[in-house]
Amino acid sequence: MASVAIVLLGIAGMLAGWFLYSKFIAEKIFKLSESFVTPAHEVNDGIDYVPTNKVVLWGHHFTSVAGAAPIVGPAIAVYWGWVPAVLWVVFGTIFFAGIHDMGALWASARHKGKSMGALSESVIGKRTRALFMIVVFLVLLMVNAVFGVVIANSFVSQPNAVFPAWMAIVVALVIGQLIKRQFSLIPLCIIGIIVLYASVYAGSYLPISLPETIMGLSDKASWIIILFVYAMIASLLPVWMLLQPRDFINGMQLIVGLFLLYGAVFFSLPDITAPAFNTATAVDTPSIIPLLFVTIACGAVSGFHGIVSSGTSSKQLDKETDARFVGYLGAVGEGSLALITIVAVSGVALAASPQEWHEVYSHLGAGSVSAFITGGANLIEQGWGLSVSFSSTILAVMVVLFAGTTMDSGVRLQRYIIQEWGEIYQIPALKNGLVATLVAVGTCLLLAFGAGGSSGSGGMIIWPLFGSTNQILASMTLLVISVMLIKLKRPAIYTLVPMMFVIVMAFLAGIIKLKEYYLAGNYLLVGLDAIVLVVSVLVMLESWSVIRRFKAEQ
């Protein structure tokens, strides 16, 4: 029964945040206006700037920011106990993630759809812009390189997920054309979901695997190359053709997945076998503070969300008031996924007793996507009677499709950053979309195969930096929003308090990791970690200088 209480209290809190807190912030602090002409209408180039129905845009935004992170983070962090994980997810969603995501959408829309890095110049200064964009590019490089590995690993270990994953692209292309021709959204959504889950069922009988070796490359490495070729093509297509419909369909299939998981909790009433606070952690386990707050990023607050909000979503915002629906409700959707992940990996669906749970979670990092798929599939089987095999395929496809949409958006966002550099530094070649995309994909493949050899797993080498770097980026985004509010003479406490909390936790985590990398002799990570920490300090000092100067002028 404890699982039902977790679900009810968690969802009630997030819904209260949506109906009450987000309404207050949108109307009184950001002052979102329906009369404001958004960049989607002002530019409307039919490729990147396209006015989009808020429900469709929510699907794009939600699945782009989600990826596998709101599953991986909570599935790992529950090692410290399910109570701190639940509290951070719920309160992080209400007071951190929702404000961060909605604020980044608002700020970008008010600056012609510029990314947070580019618009920081007009809000704070040129030096901040240069520093900010370095961190943004580093985060995107990590996400793209690693998610390529995650999807490739899933295709190799779960060949049943390959057919439905690629079938989703076909479905999205068809739906994109039909939406363009003004077909009704609801029947398209229903038909798309039916076809998608039919392909999941068919995938159970149509496992697809590549040969173990192709031209000297392993099957995983071959999948990585195929995925980046696809991402390159997808990032150059108009957003209405593939990006929007694919993300929308994935958002709908996530709703179905959440319905199955949450419904299973109420039907089966599973007990929680994980400890509320784990006092039997391994000797070398790092402190819960500050590591919890960088382990669970997506699902509480994440700097990557600001990149997506100001990168693709702001360019598709039909009305400024839609920022609340897309940004804040997108955070609520992600928080609900993180919450059910905690339940799935904390109860009898994964481990029948506390002893068995401790065997699965023998150390920090032991639980991850595999724990979620196992626990979630067993939960669905207990609640709905679907076979564990079919349920596992559903969840595996969900993870792959999420990771795929994030990779699609990530390469497109990396292209935007490179094009913005071309504009800023007057490099004509980089202004070209094809050239910028080739540079983006080239840097990802260089990291993947240059650092990782023929396996293509080079992104995993710098992935340990993601947690603290991502949260430092979130604090920098909140800082830009705060400075913007101060200049508009509006209360900034609602963004400054989350910003200060996140930067302290992320900075402490970065220091702890810096020591860990140094003792391990990993000087590449030492150097990169040090750069990110120094950049964050410089941005904070520059912002503080701007605020003081502005107040003095007043």
Side-chain angles (χ1 to χ4, degrees):
M1 287 294 289
S3 59
V4 176
I6 292 172
V7 165
L8 289 176
L9 292 174
I11 293 299
M14 291 184 209
L15 288 178
W18 160 247
F19 285 111
L20 301 175
Y21 192 59
S22 74
K23 190 172 187 290
F24 164 73
I25 296 294
E27 294 179 355
K28 304 300 182 183
I29 307 302
F30 295 146
K31 297 184 180 180
L32 304 181
S33 170
E34 283 204 5
S35 62
F36 176 75
V37 179
T38 63
H41 288 282
E42 186 178 359
V43 179
N44 197 358
D45 62 2
I47 299 175
D48 297 318
Y49 293 80
V50 179
T52 303
N53 177 288
K54 67 180 181 180
V55 178
V56 175
L57 183 55
W58 174 87
H60 154 70
H61 179 80
F62 175 40
T63 53
S64 294
V65 300
I71 295 171
V72 175
I76 291 174
V78 78
Y79 179 74
W80 284 297
W82 62 264
V83 168
V86 168
L87 290 176
W88 175 228
V89 163
V90 174
F91 287 106
T93 297
I94 297 170
F95 298 108
F96 292 72
I99 305 306
H100 172 278
D101 294 14
M102 177 168 56
L105 268 170
W106 165 72
S108 177
R110 287 281 168 167
H111 289 83
K112 301 185 183 299
K114 289 182 180 179
S115 70
M116 290 305 299
L119 72 84
S120 64
E121 176 185 359
S122 52
V123 176
I124 301 175
K126 286 185 177 181
R127 283 177 294 188
T128 298
R129 177 200 67 197
L131 296 170
F132 206 125
M133 292 180 79
I134 290 171
V135 178
V136 170
F137 188 82
L138 184 59
V139 169
L140 286 172
L141 186 63
M142 290 181 194
V143 169
N144 293 336
V146 170
F147 274 43
V149 176
V150 170
I151 301 169
N153 285 339
S154 298
F155 281 169
V156 172
S157 62
Q158 296 274 348
N160 290 344
V162 175
F163 176 74
W166 291 103
M167 189 64 188
I169 297 171
V170 177
V171 173
L173 287 168
V174 173
I175 288 180
Q177 295 294 331
L178 295 176
I179 291 177
K180 187 74 172 175
R181 287 161 175 75
Q182 306 299 316
F183 277 69
S184 178
L185 196 60
I186 294 176
L188 286 180
C189 174
I190 295 171
I191 294 171
I193 290 296
I194 292 172
V195 173
L196 183 61
Y197 277 96
S199 72
V200 172
Y201 181 77
S204 301
Y205 299 95
L206 291 171
I208 298 175
S209 300
L210 293 178
E212 290 188 8
T213 305
I214 301 176
M215 298 176 66
L217 294 175
S218 66
D219 49 356
K220 185 179 78 171
S222 299
W223 275 125
I224 290 172
I225 293 174
I226 292 170
L227 288 165
F228 272 110
V229 170
Y230 157 74
M232 180 180 70
I233 296 170
S235 69
L236 289 168
L237 294 176
V239 290
W240 62 265
M241 187 177 292
L242 178 59
L243 187 71
Q244 287 179 353
R246 177 178 176 176
D247 290 357
F248 175 65
I249 287 297
N250 287 348
M252 295 305 103
Q253 67 95 19
L254 171 70
I255 290 176
V256 173
L258 290 177
F259 175 76
L260 290 174
L261 289 167
Y262 276 102
V265 170
F266 289 104
F267 288 148
S268 61
L269 306 177
D271 290 326
I272 295 295
T273 54
F277 297 92
N278 190 4
T279 57
T281 57
V283 177
D284 60 347
T285 301
S287 171
I288 185 174
I289 298 175
L291 271 299
L292 170 69
F293 304 102
V294 299
T295 303
I296 299 180
C298 296
V301 64
S302 167
F304 182 69
H305 293 201
I307 302 176
V308 175
S309 294
S310 64
T312 56
S313 299
S314 65
K315 294 175 176 63
Q316 302 169 58
L317 206 61
D318 184 31
K319 299 176 182 177
E320 189 180 49
T321 48
D322 291 349
R324 177 179 172 232
F325 186 92
V326 175
Y328 198 97
L329 198 60
V332 169
E334 192 171 50
S336 65
L337 176 58
L339 184 68
I340 198 63
T341 296
I342 294 170
V343 172
V345 301
S346 299
V348 293
L350 178 68
S353 67
Q355 292 75 21
E356 287 188 19
W357 187 89
H358 281 287
E359 288 176 9
V360 174
Y361 278 85
S362 58
H363 60 276
L364 183 65
S368 189
V369 173
S370 59
F372 166 74
I373 292 175
T374 301
N378 289 333
L379 188 62
I380 292 173
E381 191 271 337
Q382 293 165 13
W384 295 94
L386 298 177
S387 71
V388 172
S389 174
F390 182 56
S391 301
S392 296
T393 302
I394 289 176
L395 297 180
V397 170
M398 188 169 78
V399 171
V400 167
L401 291 182
F402 270 2
T405 54
T406 300
M407 189 176 172
D408 284 4
S409 297
V411 172
R412 186 180 289 263
L413 289 164
Q414 215 172 345
R415 188 247 294 175
Y416 289 163
I417 293 292
I418 293 167
Q419 285 182 292
E420 285 179 346
W421 275 336
E423 293 285 346
I424 292 167
Y425 300 109
Q426 291 302 304
I427 305 174
L430 294 184
K431 297 179 185 179
N432 181 276
L434 177 59
V435 174
T437 302
L438 289 172
V439 172
V441 172
T443 55
C444 292
L445 289 174
L446 183 63
L447 173 62
F449 290 94
S454 60
S455 69
S457 301
M460 305 305 294
I461 293 173
I462 64 171
W463 183 247
L465 284 173
F466 179 76
S468 56
T469 304
N470 185 50
Q471 298 305 67
I472 285 173
L473 180 59
S475 67
M476 290 164 69
T477 299
L478 286 167
L479 180 61
V480 171
I481 297 168
S482 300
V483 174
M484 199 170 157
L485 289 171
I486 290 169
K487 286 188 172 184
L488 291 170
K489 300 180 182 179
R490 298 179 193 172
I493 189 171
Y494 305 100
T495 51
L496 278 174
V497 171
M499 181 277 292
M500 288 187 287
F501 180 85
V502 173
I503 190 60
V504 169
M505 292 299 119
F507 198 82
L508 289 175
I511 295 295
I512 291 171
K513 287 295 183 180
L514 190 67
K515 179 182 177 182
E516 179 184 313
Y517 303 146
Y518 178 76
L519 293 176
N522 194 332
Y523 299 114
L524 172 63
L525 293 186
V526 168
L528 290 174
D529 196 2
I531 290 170
V532 171
L533 293 174
V534 170
V535 165
S536 67
V537 171
L538 292 175
V539 170
M540 298 296 160
L541 291 175
E542 184 79 8
S543 303
W544 176 244
S545 173
V546 170
I547 293 171
R548 287 187 62 186
R549 186 168 63 249
F550 176 77
K551 287 187 174 293
E553 290 172 355
Q554 297 303 309

